Amino acid sequence: KHVCKKACQRVSVYLDMVSLAQDSPFTNAGTGSNLNLSGEIECDASIMDGRSLHYGAVGALSGIKNPVLVANRLLSEAQKGKLSAGRVPPCFLVGRGAYHWAVDHGIPPCPSDQMATKCSLSAYKRNKRKIELAEKVECSAGAQVKRSRQSSGKQNGSGSLDTVGAVVVDWEGNVAAAVSSGGLAMKHPGRVGQAAHYGCGCWAENAWKLNPYSIAVSTSGCGEHLMRTMLARECSASAQSEDAHQALLDTMQNKFISSPFLASEDCILGGVIVLRCCRCADSEPSADLRALLVEFLWSHTTESMCVGYMSAQDCKAKVIYSGSTG
């Protein structure tokens, strides 16, 4: 697929990327998502357009195969202006309200049981047994509660935080970002993670006024950690520095790992991808990709993170498995 000039075509390209990832049983977004305590799939997703600065999001959404399509529809509907009687259009919907809005706007429903996979069901049953065992231990031996919880936390699969995210730029320098997630394994029904929250899951902002760079960001990890630090927006702001690489490292250390908002946490889990671009000062706006200077960076505190990228000249994406030193 090629990068198109028109914003609507550009958005469709990366929406296809996120939707394909949601359809994959190997990611925690859409099909194959983690099941909550009730054995149901509830997904979060958001999208932001750097040119208009509009944002759309859904949280704890069940029964829709590709939640990011609902988030994008919310964004596009908001761009049309106010509703009848001067009502402000929604940019963030959750639960049954989000489901009915999606269906009313032509997005087909998908039974949740069709989105579960053998792997996700097996993980749910395994985690359910561990929780039941931990609760018995808590009742019979209070001294072992802390050890049991720590052991369960390491083994219940919540470390597999396979959020799907994408950041893009078109020939005109417009950026956009999206993110989608099934959330933590065995989360409480109705829990909404960072993938749906403004400034936490993704961020996109074109260059303007004193900001020389267009920035797009998408995050992954433990939603509670990312929400309490608004990591996506923090990374976007810091990437306006001349040295984006050092700025990203400093932000991850000072605004995330050492954040006072996470001082009580033993293990802080998060990852981020950042796209930064600017137009060469001596070039006129054109369809020439060489007129744009583009940087792609990532960082994570998790043991690993999978990253892929491609340009208009590439026939397929390049994939990198980033280890603990990423």
Side-chain angles (χ1 to χ4, degrees):
K1 294 181 179 179
H2 63 284
V3 179
C4 304
K5 288 185 179 182
K6 294 182 180 179
C8 60
Q9 292 175 314
R10 165 177 54 86
V11 169
S12 69
V13 169
Y14 83 97
L15 279 178
D16 286 344
M17 294 164 54
V18 178
S19 295
L20 285 171
Q22 287 178 336
D23 291 340
S24 171
F26 302 109
T27 60
N28 178 29
T31 300
S33 288
N34 287 328
L35 276 62
N36 63 19
L37 276 172
S38 299
E40 301 170 337
I41 288 179
E42 292 182 327
C43 295
D44 307 323
S46 65
I47 181 173
M48 188 169 180
D49 178 35
R51 183 168 64 175
S52 67
L53 301 182
H54 277 278
Y55 160 88
V58 291
L61 175 61
S62 295
I64 298 293
K65 188 177 183 181
N66 298 117
V68 73
L69 297 182
V70 188
N72 183 60
R73 187 60 183 271
L74 281 165
L75 184 151
S76 62
E77 290 296 318
Q79 290 176 328
K80 296 177 182 179
K82 292 186 177 181
L83 305 175
S84 60
R87 292 174 297 144
V88 176
C91 66
F92 184 11
L93 293 174
V94 299
R96 298 302 297 174
Y99 171 82
H100 290 302
W101 189 96
V103 173
D104 289 344
H105 285 78
I107 298 176
C110 177
S112 294
D113 57 0
Q114 292 185 16
M115 296 173 64
T117 62
K118 289 183 179 179
C119 183
S120 62
L121 288 170
S122 176
Y124 171 75
K125 293 176 181 177
R126 183 171 62 252
N127 290 331
K128 191 76 169 178
R129 288 194 296 269
K130 290 179 180 178
I131 290 176
E132 292 171 351
L133 177 60
E135 290 175 346
K136 290 181 181 178
V137 171
E138 289 182 16
C139 293
S140 61
Q144 299 179 16
V145 170
K146 186 174 182 180
R147 288 196 300 272
S148 175
R149 285 177 174 171
Q150 290 175 339
S151 175
S152 177
K154 293 177 181 179
Q155 300 175 16
N156 68 5
S158 62
S160 299
L161 309 171
D162 303 321
T163 299
V164 171
V167 288
V168 296
V169 59
D170 68 8
W171 280 341
E172 296 177 344
N174 299 305
V175 294
V179 62
S180 179
S181 177
L184 298 175
M186 308 307 285
K187 63 183 181 180
H188 194 282
R191 178 261 191 187
V192 177
Q194 107 284 352
H197 280 82
Y198 188 70
C200 304
C202 69
W203 190 263
E205 188 173 358
N206 278 11
W208 67 288
K209 293 185 178 180
L210 299 178
N211 289 345
Y213 299 102
S214 294
I215 310 288
V217 180
S218 186
T219 67
S220 175
C222 177
E224 279 67 23
H225 297 170
L226 298 164
M227 284 186 287
R228 283 151 61 185
T229 54
M230 295 190 71
L231 187 62
R233 191 168 184 179
E234 289 283 3
C235 288
S236 177
S238 68
Q240 292 294 340
S241 302
E242 183 175 346
D243 187 344
H245 178 265
Q246 187 60 49
L248 181 58
L249 293 178
D250 290 344
T251 298
M252 289 295 287
Q253 180 62 54
N254 302 324
K255 300 291 187 177
F256 191 58
I257 298 172
S258 301
S259 170
F261 300 103
L262 301 178
S264 62
E265 300 292 340
D266 296 327
C267 184
I268 298 172
L269 303 172
V272 60
I273 54 175
V274 179
L275 185 151
R276 183 174 90 158
C277 71
C278 69
R279 189 168 294 281
C280 297
D282 57 351
S283 67
E284 295 295 327
S286 70
D288 188 354
L289 282 175
R290 290 172 296 180
L292 284 176
L293 297 177
V294 179
E295 296 176 87
F296 179 60
L297 308 96
W298 67 90
S299 181
H300 56 96
T301 66
T302 52
E303 292 183 0
S304 63
M305 184 174 176
C306 234
V307 179
Y309 64 93
M310 66 183 296
S311 71
Q313 289 89 3
D314 297 325
C315 59
K316 63 178 181 179
K318 298 178 176 66
V319 179
I320 294 174
Y321 176 85
S322 180
S324 57
T325 58

